[in-house]
Each structure stands twice: as C-alpha cells, then as structure tokens.
Amino acid sequence: MSRIVYVNGEFLAEADAKISVFDRGFLFADGVYEVSSVLRGKLIDNAGHIVRLHRSLAELEMAAPASDAAILAAQEALIQQNNVEEGLVYLQVTRGVADRDFAYPAADTPSTLVMFTQHKTLIDSPQAKQGIKIASIPDIRWKRRDIKTVGLLAPSMGKMQAKKAGADDAWMVEEGYVTEGTSNNAYIITQDNVLVTRHVGPEILNGITRRAVLRLAELTELRIEERSFTMEEAYAAKEAFVTSATTFVWPVIELDGQAVGDGQPGVFATKLRELYIEEALAA
Ligand code: PMP
C-alpha cells in the first residue's frame, strides 16, 4: 500500500502527489522543514517544532502556510491514515511557485505545504544500543544554520565523507571548534561530569531535542556548559553523544577512530535517552 501524503490541503496517494517544476523549493532550496517523531501513534515535542517552524519562516520573510491548528490536524490525520505507530512526520514549506528570479516573488504568492510520514524504529534502534562512530570534517555549510532550510547538500556530502572514512556520521568543525553533527546536535561529557554542547547561535540549529535533553540533564549530577569545544577536548572526554528528533539520544563510541571512554555507550548518554523516552511516552 502506498503512502498517503499531504500537498496543499489535499491527502493524496504518493504517486498522485506532485509539485511544480517552478516551485522555489526545487529551484532555490527556498523552503524550510521540520521533522517530528511519532511514538505509539503520538507526536513527540511537536509544539516546539512548530515554534521553530515559525521562526525559520519569519527569518526568511515567508508567511505561514496554514494555521497551527490546521497543521496539527493534518499531521495527526497522516499518522492515522498511514498507521504510523513509530516513525516520523516530515513537514516542508516553500515560498511557492513563481517565474525563476532570485528576488522573492510577491508576498501573496501562495506557499507550498507538503507533509509525509515514514515508519521508523526509534526506541529499539541498533545505533542506540551499540553507539555510533563519528568522523570530524570541516563545516562547509552556509552561515545561517539556525534557519532549518531544505538546503541540505553540504551535510549530505559530509555524511558520505564520514561513511567513506568508516564512520556512521560526521561532526563538523569550524575555526577549530565543533559546531554540530550533520543532522543532530553534538555533546561531550568531560571526565569531571561536565556536559558540554555548543551554545545556540547562527552556527548551529537550535535543536528541540537539545532543549529537552539539557532540561533532563538537570535531573542528573551533570553540570551543564553551553560553549564551544574542540575535537581534542572530545577525544579526552568520558562520553559523547548526539541528539535529534528521530534519534533522541545516540551514544558516540568512537571519534576519528579513537574510542570514547571504554568504547561502550556511556552511562549518562544511556540515562538521558531513557529519561527522554520515559517523558515522551508519559506525555
Ligand atoms: N542540527 C542539525 C543540523 C539538524 O539537522 C538537526 C535535526 N534536524 C538537529 C541539529 C537536531 O534538531 P532537533 O532535535 O530539533 O531534531
């Protein structure tokens, strides 16, 4: 059975869902997106994702495509129609269809709103149990990573570079400091139990999962420092991990071929993952 996807107010079979060749999302990557996870058929942290969607839209002077209530209703309808117990809802807004021109079209040009679901094992994922290997690479992305745009070629190239180096993912480094993972936020825990993750700014995406995990970390004996860190500091760390909507918390067991700690998923990373899932399921 093919998926039902949402395109501009309509629920369509995957094969019938079409976007114009002149859509600015296609021609200019002039669009933003959000990914919300689904557990037991329910959206997780979705309100935070919608708040960030509005921020991305505002930074690009793009109008909201529909009311929050209409977006939520469509997300929930898609979950139901596609029988998603565990997985994600992807949502994308583009500036719509116009003659190809670098200048934005008239403000009343209707935006394009697309949503689809994916089934995905989130809780019992092998990466959560085994941990992942990270390779560090230069951060060659643009300078407004706080806007969640669909311009994702640089992180896509970075992910392939990591795979070629025998790793699962990459941490990107700029001016000597780690910014974030290709599609996640990056963290280390020092030998004296300080949780370090890059401060929020234009250099990284302000992760919705990041905010929740930092809040949950307050419940542990970790001290939190939101600041830049180097790969050298990471090599010496006791633990490392990444967070995102669809990974929650994945322990990092190797950095550039060197074991992190004893090379096993860390105690704190595992604990933070448990706390996050517990809270998500209780919501
Ligand atoms: N950084 C980048 C570059 C990302 O692509 C993502 C996930 N989309 C994140 C961080 C994590 O954000 P969130 O926790 O909101 O999924």
Side-chain angles (χ1 to χ4, degrees):
M1 198 185 80
S2 95
R3 262 180 301 198
I4 304 292
V5 308
Y6 174 99
V7 183
N8 294 327
E10 288 188 282
F11 293 87
L12 300 164
E14 194 174 315
D16 299 326
K18 301 268 162 53
I19 295 294
S20 166
V21 163
F22 297 98
D23 193 282
R24 286 182 60 94
F26 178 62
L27 295 176
F28 290 97
D30 189 357
V32 299
Y33 75 108
E34 283 296 333
V35 178
S36 300
S37 61
V38 176
L39 286 179
R40 293 184 188 160
K42 281 192 348 202
L43 286 159
I44 306 303
D45 264 349
N46 192 55
H49 288 282
I50 298 301
V51 168
R52 187 174 61 192
L53 174 68
H54 284 298
R55 182 180 182 280
S56 293
L57 290 169
E59 290 297 310
L60 295 175
E61 299 169 44
M62 237 185 260
S67 69
D68 286 0
I71 290 175
L72 179 61
Q75 286 175 308
E76 289 179 335
L78 272 187
I79 291 169
Q80 209 180 15
Q81 291 179 36
N82 292 295
N83 294 314
V84 183
E85 269 296 300
E86 197 164 317
L88 61 90
V89 180
Y90 176 93
L91 179 165
Q92 177 171 329
V93 184
T94 78
R95 204 182 302 273
V97 176
D99 273 350
R100 187 177 181 279
D101 186 347
F102 280 75
Y104 298 165
D108 61 357
T109 305
S111 53
T112 301
L113 173 60
V114 168
M115 293 184 220
F116 59 81
T117 56
Q118 275 178 209
H119 293 267
K120 197 168 183 225
T121 300
L122 305 181
I123 292 184
D124 288 325
S125 67
Q127 294 94 334
K129 282 200 198 80
Q130 293 154 26
I132 57 167
K133 298 176 180 176
I134 297 291
S136 63
I137 61 168
D139 195 336
I140 63 164
R141 298 174 301 162
W142 79 325
K143 293 191 159 50
R144 289 301 309 275
R145 301 153 198 160
D146 55 315
I147 308 174
K148 196 167 170 62
T149 79
V150 295
L152 294 174
L153 191 51
S156 189
M157 288 166 73
K159 183 110 179 172
M160 295 313 291
Q161 204 179 329
K163 285 188 184 295
K164 283 185 189 137
D168 302 298
D169 203 352
W171 280 8
M172 297 177 283
V173 177
E174 184 171 62
E175 293 171 358
Y177 294 98
V178 174
T179 51
E180 59 188 330
T182 58
S183 59
N184 43 59
N185 291 113
Y187 307 72
I188 57 170
I189 298 175
T190 66
Q191 297 296 337
D192 50 352
N193 293 346
V194 182
L195 174 58
V196 186
T197 192
R198 179 110 183 185
H199 51 283
V200 168
E203 302 81 13
I204 67 165
L205 186 72
N206 187 355
I208 302 306
T209 322
R210 176 188 182 281
R211 187 161 2 118
V213 166
L214 289 181
R215 176 171 49 72
L216 293 167
E218 307 270 5
L219 306 173
T220 69
E221 66 238 60
L222 291 169
R223 197 155 61 73
I224 296 162
E225 285 183 11
E226 293 180 63
R227 61 166 174 83
S228 304
F229 63 90
T230 63
M231 282 307 296
E232 285 64 37
E233 196 175 2
Y235 300 147
K238 181 151 84 175
E239 291 189 28
F241 64 90
V242 297
T243 67
S244 76
T246 54
T247 62
F248 309 145
V249 177
W250 277 358
V252 171
I253 54 165
E254 202 178 286
L255 290 169
D256 289 332
Q258 304 181 43
V260 178
D262 61 2
Q264 298 298 317
V267 172
F268 283 111
T270 305
K271 182 71 191 166
L272 289 169
R273 179 179 177 80
E274 281 168 11
L275 289 171
Y276 183 85
I277 292 173
E278 201 176 291
E279 188 175 83
L281 292 178

